[in-house]
Amino acid sequence: MKMKCISIDLDGTLLTSRDEITEGSIRALEELTEKGYQLILNTGRAHADVVKLEAVQKLDVPIFCVNGSVLYSESGEILYEATLSISTYKKIFSVLQKLDVGILVYTNYGGCPSTLPPLHHKSKEELNTLFHEYNYDDILKYDNLKIYKLIALVHQEDVERIEEVIKALAGIDDVTMASSFPNNLEITSHEAHKGKALFRYQEIMNLSFDEIYAFGDGGNDLAQFEVATKSVAMGNAPLHIQQKADLITKTNDEDGFAYAVRHLLKLISTEEELEIIV
């Protein structure tokens, strides 16, 4: 079955800076659904951090998590998983530990010591305490452990160190690296990829997307921009992300998603046009 796909990042894209979805974006999502578009949330977040958002709970859509590592159906069924082997995890962890950066490990048991969203408003001192006191050896004691992603995290004033991390990990095979924020580096299996996830979903669900519209604001969104018919960067995205997109919309706090859908892509009518029709 052929259809059109709307692939949407969450943080900095569909979500405002207050983790909300604007009324304009909600109306746009509803109208896109009515027109038969396949909506997909394509995020770096873990599933638990997605479904606890009140704004997302009202959406009945597939959710691709951890940069395409885990694909969930509308009903929450896991359709696909891409994991890092334990040996690869150990190599990555050893490098990151020597660099003295903050380390987050995303697993099937949750984030160790945390996932990223709960840390956004932590102070530098609180973050340092969290990372230095956590016993990472405990992670490997879990039964049937699955590791989806590691995040190397530096403080905002040290963003240039991310390049140092990238260079240090260059010799490790079969991984993909991308940044959802300038001060982090996300490391996943090479099979985890926001763009590849869209192709996988088509195959699993026996669908064919004749058009893909991808919305994002971060480095991990470039993977979905690569496969999109049209890519849309948010106005709050860094310049190098905007330069990779076909279109640039308003910021996530200015109804950027809805504005792009109505005015730049014209996938649904503007409110003014609707009034004329009525």
Side-chain angles (χ1 to χ4, degrees), residues 87-137:
S87 60
T88 299
Y89 162 74
K90 288 180 177 178
K91 290 178 187 176
I92 298 168
F93 182 82
S94 176
V95 171
L96 298 182
Q97 196 172 40
K98 290 174 184 175
L99 292 173
D100 193 27
V101 296
I103 304 173
L104 300 176
V105 186
Y106 282 51
T107 77
N108 53 324
Y109 286 88
C112 305
S114 175
T115 53
L116 188 57
L119 303 185
H120 284 321
H121 302 294
K122 296 281 188 183
S123 69
K124 183 175 181 178
E125 292 72 24
E126 288 173 322
L127 291 172
N128 287 339
T129 299
L130 175 70
F131 293 127
H132 290 149
E133 292 186 354
Y134 185 74
N135 184 358
Y136 287 92
D137 292 338

Side-chain angles (χ1 to χ4, degrees), residues 157-173:
E157 65 269 23
D158 298 324
V159 291
E160 70 280 354
R161 293 195 62 210
I162 292 299
E163 286 301 321
E164 178 186 350
V165 178
I166 293 172
K167 290 177 182 178
L169 294 172
I172 298 179
D173 297 325

Side-chain angles (χ1 to χ4, degrees), residues 147-207:
I147 297 175
Y148 302 122
K149 177 171 73 171
L150 287 88
I151 297 182
L153 193 66
V154 301
H155 297 299
Q156 294 289 350
E157 65 269 23
D158 298 324
V159 291
E160 70 280 354
R161 293 195 62 210
I162 292 299
E163 286 301 321
E164 178 186 350
V165 178
I166 293 172
K167 290 177 182 178
L169 294 172
I172 298 179
D173 297 325
D174 300 328
V175 298
T176 294
M177 295 183 281
S179 296
S180 55
F181 295 93
N183 68 320
N184 77 24
L185 184 70
E186 304 187 347
I187 307 110
T188 58
S189 160
H190 71 288
E191 291 298 328
H193 183 282
K194 285 191 175 187
K196 287 181 181 178
L198 293 167
F199 291 139
R200 277 203 184 92
Y201 185 75
Q202 291 179 79
E203 183 177 349
I204 293 169
M205 304 304 292
N206 195 26
L207 298 173

